[in-house]
Amino acid sequence: MTDNTQQHPAATPELPTTYAPAEVEGALYERWVDRGYFTADVKSDKPPFTIVIPPPNVTGSLHLGHAFQHTLMDALTRRKRMQGYEALWLPGMDHAGIATQNKVEQQLAEVGKSRHDLGREEFVERVWQWKEEYGGKILGQMRRLGDGVDWSRERFTMDEGLSRAVQTIFKKLYEDGLIYRAERIINWCPRCLTAISDIEVEYQEDAGELVSIRYGEGEDSLVVATTRAETMLGDTAVAVHPDDERYAHLVGKQIKLPLTDRTIPVVADTHVDPEFGTGAVKVTPAHDPNDFAIGQRHDLPSLSVMDEHGVITVHGPFLGLDRFEARSAVVGALREQGRIVAEKRPYTHSVGHCSRCKTTVEPRLSLQWWVNVKPLAKAAGDAVRDGRVAIHPADMSKRYFDWVDNMNDWCISRQLWWGHRIPIWYGPEGEIVCVGPDEQAPTGEGWHQDTDVLDTWFSSGLWPFSTLGWPERTPELEKFYSTDVLVTGHDIIFFWVARMMMFGLYAMDGEVPFKTIALTGLVRDEFGKKMSKSFGNVVDPLDWMDKYGSDAVRFTLAKGANPGTDVPIGEDWVQASRNFANKIWNATRFAMMNGATIEGELPPAEQLSATDRWILSRLNKTVAQADAYYEDFQFSKLSEALYHFAWDEVFAWYVELSKTTFFAGGEGAKVSGRVLGEVLDVMLRLLHPIVPFVTETLWTTLTGGESLVIADWPKDSGFRDEAAEREIELVQQVVTEVRRFRKEQGLNDGQKVPARLDLDGTALASHEAAIRQLLRLQPEGEAFSATASLPVAGATVSLDLSGTIDVAAERKRLAKDLAAAEKEKAQAEGKLGNEAFLAKAPDNVVDKIRTRLAKADEDIARIRTQLDRLPQA
């Protein structure tokens, strides 16, 4: 089943009595790194397996979402390494343009300065200094978690190699006509003073106001409603639906725009929903994306009415007012003119905010650089449709197609100083030159570079191949591209995943950036609520690692990882996982102290007991099950299967069933010791990718091997023994049933009871000693009196309870409980049989009574069984 060629048995197990993660994890991780276990060899003839880490922001720190995805990536990589692959898990960080620039600007503000006081060059140098001093905190935290990444290949989106890749692909896209400059509506942050991407906009329900305003006069008037009254100063039309007969007489006419000396046309456009509101909408092309599209269709002018700070720039009375001040002032002026038809406040509606500074985002017409995504998005969609890339779970494919099939052109310019500066130079005569990484920029009077930088997602979209040396055809690119699995949250399938697909296929001549997209859910609190500082439920995973160990955090996260669905997590669950790690430790330590070994060959099946054959059969089934779950990214089912096998089957049953053999000594003990050693060896290998620290410590002690990181992954030998499995299932039935009876009679676990076991003629006959050991059953003795008999699994277990319980008192107690249950049943049946009651009672009340009736029936059956089992008083 396993290859033990690198192992030699430890002379004497040297394990502390308790497992202390804090004393093990740090030193163990550094030993793995120092020995180069995580460093991928580009010259190796092993088949490659590659994962690139979703690059965390340089400003970030490890949160539960990171810990969750990193646990899954680490498990996948560790297993593939054990399977004989040249596994590369490539780490790195994103420069996080807005977030990082904000950090340094905040530092400057503390001493009364702005970036403009320093100038661009000095400010960028200051950001690099900040990055060296404070950035990358998360990388150290990844070590705490146990991330088996190749630190020798760590990359940063602003390092020289990745910057070269950015310039190269920008020039290629530009020359192919896929990058252009145009005025369009963008998300604008008046605080950060830059365009921001859709993913950097957070929507929340804000309390505002909805005002209805009458435009025009008399019969040539109509009413529009808006939550942004100040933008009416930039209206250039009112739109109605072409089929709306209410306004047919107005289409094509000019109406007076209140508060201004302008008239604007009424246009007919199918975008307008005639059933919503009044069926008429104001059209402000410079300040709304839908209005901009209407303006394009009807050749309307676009009038910007506020500057980049959100300050009004037109119309005397409102000139210089902040947008929110102007909103109140405009409504007041309209009210004075009798133009306000209705006002609703507060009016709660969804409003976009900058994710970095929480400022309300302003849709704004702006001259920006764009990517024409249509041909790129089509290629990204085709790669999934034709099976070159698999999305897991498959039902997430629809969301992917909904996005790539309807993608809008991408605004890639940002009005920042930190980031990849757009490689475009403008000349004195209007010339535009795109400069590649090996080309000389134009010089001379009047030439200057574009001041904007590229969207952070532009460089991170190149991550699967830029990190491997592209645009050069490096050995790393040849061996490790395309990557095998992308593990990422379903929340960024639109923003990051789609961009990597587009850029990867474009830059790598149709070769996909990854073969599988494994989408995860989001980590939530134990009640399923989103984690948020405002909710007060955010957890620092480092706190839990300090308290319970990294393995406990990892196992909890893996155990909750159903593909594509959110993951609830609470501290109680982490504590339970810590208990599991302790159980592995204590039980393995006990097993090694009692002869568990990997020394020598595993005896052939015919020399093994049914108990030994049962556990080996279950072991091989578990190996096969683990492989199937890994291939299907079913981490929750995998963790549950390994937990059940380790705790329930190995420790709770096999070790306990084998104790009599171990205590008896002799050849049987040696055989069981070898079987137990084999089981522990394989079990620890199976668990290692998810809980690497405790398994490494135990496995190296058990086997004397160098490290589980480079050990072989277990293989299913094909050994199955269904007969042995059925035989042990019978033993389990007997033990479980008698334990239940003992509990019902109030006997404590250690209390010994005389018993006679009638096992002859059953498969249980050879297991009497083990059954007695597990159930604390004494020999029957001369004065034995069978006061209770339990028929189970074709056998009979007779117990003498005369010296352990007061039968009369127990019968009296049970009779009282039975009477109470029967009374409860009668009352419930009476109500459910009353038609008048059923007609008036709410559904939830009726459901509660039905539940009470079912519970009463269960109690009656249970109590009667207990009474039947008791001897007559």
Side-chain angles (χ1 to χ4, degrees):
M1 181 178 296
T2 56
D3 178 7
N4 293 320
T5 54
Q6 69 153 331
Q7 306 165 1
H8 53 85
T12 305
E14 293 291 342
L15 290 172
T17 54
T18 58
Y19 179 55
E23 298 175 10
V24 171
E25 293 175 351
L28 191 52
Y29 184 85
E30 293 308 318
R31 183 163 71 92
W32 290 334
V33 173
D34 292 344
R35 293 188 177 185
Y37 294 154
F38 305 142
T39 304
D41 182 2
V42 73
K43 298 179 181 179
S44 167
D45 58 2
K46 296 179 181 178
F49 176 81
T50 315
I51 291 182
V52 291
I53 205 166
N57 288 352
V58 67
T59 59
S61 60
L62 190 73
H63 58 63
L64 275 175
H66 290 128
F68 171 51
Q69 292 182 358
H70 287 205
T71 294
L72 306 189
M73 285 184 275
D74 195 32
L76 290 170
T77 308
R78 285 177 181 269
R79 172 175 174 260
K80 285 295 184 180
R81 189 180 290 115
M82 294 173 75
Q83 286 183 309
Y85 287 81
E86 194 60 45
L88 169 61
W89 184 17
L90 194 148
M93 292 183 297
D94 192 287
H95 64 280
I98 295 177
T100 310
Q101 178 159 319
N102 279 351
K103 288 280 187 183
V104 179
E105 287 194 90
Q106 288 166 10
Q107 281 189 342
L108 291 173
E110 291 173 1
V111 293
K113 291 186 177 182
S114 74
R115 58 178 161 133
H116 300 285
D117 294 322
L118 274 64
R120 182 168 194 146
E121 187 174 336
E122 187 177 343
F123 177 78
V124 170
E125 179 59 34
R126 180 71 66 91
V127 180
W128 277 107
Q129 292 172 6
W130 181 92
K131 185 258 181 184
E132 293 303 316
E133 186 173 355
Y134 301 105
K137 176 182 178 183
I138 193 172
L139 298 178
Q141 296 169 337
M142 286 164 54
R143 303 171 90 93
R144 282 288 314 277
L145 188 65
D147 284 5
V149 296
D150 185 346
W151 292 110
S152 70
R153 290 186 168 89
E154 178 192 336
R155 302 306 299 266
F156 179 54
T157 50
M158 286 284 285
D159 68 25
E160 184 177 352
L162 271 66
S163 296
R164 179 180 178 83
V166 168
Q167 281 185 277
T168 301
I169 202 163
F170 185 99
K171 184 174 177 66
K172 180 174 171 60
L173 288 162
Y174 180 79
E175 292 180 343
D176 286 348
L178 296 174
I179 283 183
Y180 63 95
R181 198 180 191 211
E183 268 198 324
R184 298 277 181 83
I185 294 286
I186 46 86
N187 300 308
W188 181 264
C189 176
R191 154 62 182 78
C192 298
L193 298 179
T194 180
I196 60 177
S197 67
D198 291 339
I199 197 172
E200 292 162 328
V201 178
E202 292 179 347
Y203 288 90
Q204 65 186 47
E205 295 295 312
D206 284 0
E209 62 179 347
L210 180 69
V211 293
S212 297
I213 310 167
R214 182 173 297 281
Y215 285 19
E217 306 294 341
E219 292 183 357
D220 291 347
S221 69
L222 37 67
V223 175
V224 300
T226 181
T227 58
R228 301 165 67 215
E230 71 282 3
T231 63
M232 68 158 291
L233 301 173
D235 285 0
T236 56
V238 172
V240 297
H241 194 275
D243 299 331
D244 194 335
E245 295 181 358
R246 293 173 295 175
Y247 305 115
H249 68 289
L250 288 176
V251 174
K253 288 188 177 182
Q254 296 280 326
I255 61 172
K256 183 75 165 55
L257 178 65
L259 304 183
T260 72
D261 57 3
R262 292 190 291 118
T263 61
I264 57 177
V266 177
V267 299
D269 195 280
T270 55
H271 171 75
V272 180
D273 180 1
E275 302 298 324
F276 183 77
T278 65
V281 297
K282 59 191 287 297
V283 181
T284 320
H287 292 279
D288 182 274
N290 293 321
D291 293 3
F292 180 80
I294 293 175
Q296 293 280 295
R297 288 193 289 272
H298 297 276
D299 197 25
L300 301 173
S302 296
L303 302 181
S304 293
V305 298
M306 64 184 78
D307 65 14
E308 65 270 22
H309 296 280
V311 172
I312 301 299
T313 58
V314 298
H315 203 71
F318 311 109
L319 184 65
L321 293 180
D322 171 80
R323 54 186 168 154
F324 300 118
E325 295 173 335
R327 183 172 301 171
S328 297
V330 166
V331 171
L334 289 167
R335 191 181 296 113
E336 287 180 6
Q337 292 187 6
R339 293 283 177 178
I340 300 296
V341 175
E343 296 181 68
K344 184 178 181 180
R345 65 168 65 89
Y347 177 73
T348 303
H349 60 130
S350 182
V351 178
H353 296 259
C354 175
S355 63
R356 304 303 177 190
C357 67
K358 311 309 176 187
T359 301
T360 300
V361 168
E362 190 66 38
R364 183 169 185 260
L365 185 64
S366 181
L367 182 62
Q368 302 284 346
W369 285 95
W370 302 81
V371 173
N372 173 10
V373 301
K374 188 172 182 180
L376 303 174
K378 182 182 184 303
D382 290 345
V384 175
R385 286 190 170 95
D386 63 26
R388 283 176 289 155
V389 176
I391 292 180
H392 191 89
D395 59 9
M396 286 283 181
S397 298
K398 183 180 183 302
R399 296 181 65 187
Y400 176 80
F401 291 134
D402 285 346
W403 179 255
V404 298
D405 293 346
N406 301 285
M407 193 182 297
N408 296 318
D409 283 1
W410 172 19
C411 176
I412 56 172
S413 46
R414 298 290 180 268
Q415 290 64 55
L416 304 171
W417 287 356
W418 172 245
H420 296 101
R421 194 165 175 181
I422 290 178
I424 293 287
W425 269 255
Y426 304 101
E429 304 299 326
E431 304 96 328
I432 298 179
V433 176
C434 182
V435 178
D438 297 318
E439 298 171 348
Q440 182 64 42
T443 56
E445 187 176 351
W447 282 94
H448 64 280
Q449 186 177 0
D450 195 300
T451 57
D452 288 353
V453 301
L454 288 163
D455 178 11
T456 295
W457 296 99
F458 190 94
S459 52
S460 60
L462 315 181
W463 191 252
F465 53 94
S466 64
T467 52
L468 297 172
W470 187 90
E472 273 64 59
R473 297 299 300 192
T474 62
E476 284 79 8
L477 194 66
E478 295 289 345
K479 184 171 182 68
F480 294 112
Y481 189 90
S482 62
T483 68
D484 289 270
V485 183
L486 172 71
V487 178
T488 191
H490 61 65
D491 56 323
I492 59 172
I493 186 173
F494 313 127
F495 309 105
W496 188 48
V497 177
R499 282 153 170 66
M500 286 189 290
M501 285 286 282
M502 292 191 301
F503 280 167
L505 291 162
Y506 175 76
M508 298 300 293
D509 301 320
E511 192 175 359
V512 297
F514 22 74
K515 302 176 185 72
T516 301
I517 302 169
L519 295 170
T520 70
L522 308 180
V523 178
R524 296 183 177 271
D525 71 12
E526 59 191 304
F527 306 106
K529 195 172 183 179
K530 180 182 177 181
M531 288 194 172
S532 166
K533 290 181 180 178
S534 61
F535 295 153
N537 61 352
V538 174
V539 173
D540 184 345
L542 294 171
D543 291 341
W544 282 351
M545 282 187 246
D546 289 341
K547 194 171 182 179
Y548 302 111
S550 297
D551 284 334
V553 174
R554 290 170 61 114
F555 191 75
T556 305
L557 291 166
K559 203 173 182 184
N562 287 302
T565 60
D566 290 347
V567 183
I569 184 172
E571 186 167 2
D572 288 349
W573 305 342
V574 183
Q575 186 172 353
S577 295
R578 188 272 312 273
N579 295 344
F580 178 51
N582 288 343
K583 181 69 174 180
I584 297 171
W585 180 273
N586 295 332
T588 303
R589 181 175 177 273
F590 170 84
M592 286 190 279
M593 291 172 60
N594 286 275
T597 180
I598 63 161
E599 187 173 3
E601 293 295 320
L602 194 66
E606 57 270 18
Q607 296 181 19
L608 301 177
S609 68
T611 305
D612 293 336
R613 285 183 278 113
W614 162 73
I615 197 61
L616 291 175
S617 182
R618 291 296 309 133
L619 177 68
N620 278 281
K621 285 185 179 180
T622 302
V623 172
Q625 200 174 34
D627 283 332
Y629 287 147
Y630 262 116
E631 295 305 315
D632 200 33
F633 305 100
Q634 296 280 359
F635 290 97
S636 179
K637 292 181 179 178
L638 166 70
S639 302
E640 288 286 355
L642 296 180
Y643 178 94
H644 171 72
F645 177 72
W647 193 304
D648 296 341
E649 297 188 303
V650 178
F651 301 142
W653 284 108
Y654 181 73
V655 170
E656 294 299 319
L657 286 169
S658 300
K659 278 183 178 179
T660 53
T661 305
F662 285 129
F663 295 158
E667 190 60 30
K670 290 181 180 179
V671 170
S672 290
R674 180 63 187 90
V675 170
L676 182 52
E678 179 77 8
V679 171
L680 293 175
D681 176 16
V682 174
M683 182 196 76
L684 293 171
R685 292 176 195 242
L686 290 174
L687 284 165
H688 175 73
I690 299 176
V691 285
F693 294 106
V694 66
T695 52
E696 172 85 340
T697 307
L698 292 170
W699 185 85
T700 52
T701 305
L702 170 70
T703 68
E706 182 181 343
S707 174
L708 262 178
V709 180
I710 55 172
D712 293 333
W713 181 252
K715 293 180 180 178
D716 175 12
S717 70
F719 177 77
R720 302 287 190 275
D721 194 324
E722 301 299 336
E725 290 196 40
R726 287 193 297 271
E727 186 172 321
I728 299 305
E729 284 174 11
L730 295 176
V731 175
Q732 292 171 329
Q733 287 178 30
V734 171
V735 173
T736 301
E737 185 64 21
V738 176
R739 280 177 174 167
R740 182 183 296 116
F741 177 75
R742 288 176 59 110
K743 185 176 182 180
E744 290 171 353
Q745 306 311 314
L747 301 176
N748 64 52
D749 293 341
Q751 193 168 356
K752 294 182 179 180
V753 178
R756 179 170 61 238
L757 276 58
D758 296 319
L759 309 176
D760 291 345
T762 72
L764 297 165
S766 62
H767 299 282
E768 179 170 351
I771 291 172
R772 286 186 177 277
Q773 170 69 27
L774 288 170
L775 292 172
R776 305 293 190 269
L777 301 180
Q778 293 179 315
E780 50 194 279
E782 293 182 4
F784 178 81
S785 174
T787 56
S789 294
L790 306 176
V792 56
T796 302
V797 177
S798 301
L799 305 174
D800 183 353
L801 303 178
S802 58
T804 57
I805 63 171
D806 184 334
V807 176
E810 186 64 14
R811 278 191 168 278
K812 185 177 180 180
R813 182 185 69 81
L814 289 172
K816 183 178 180 181
D817 291 346
L818 180 60
E822 288 174 337
K823 182 179 179 182
E824 175 75 2
K825 178 180 180 179
Q827 290 175 342
E829 286 179 334
K831 288 185 177 180
L832 293 174
N834 185 332
E835 294 296 334
F837 170 79
L838 292 176
K840 296 179 181 179
D843 290 345
N844 64 319
V845 173
V846 176
D847 288 341
K848 285 182 180 179
I849 294 173
R850 289 195 177 110
T851 300
R852 284 169 50 193
L853 176 59
K855 174 67 165 53
D857 282 333
E858 290 176 6
D859 288 344
I860 290 168
R862 174 180 55 79
I863 295 167
R864 285 176 174 168
T865 299
Q866 289 178 248
L867 283 167
D868 290 343
R869 287 174 172 176
L870 279 175
Q872 296 300 316

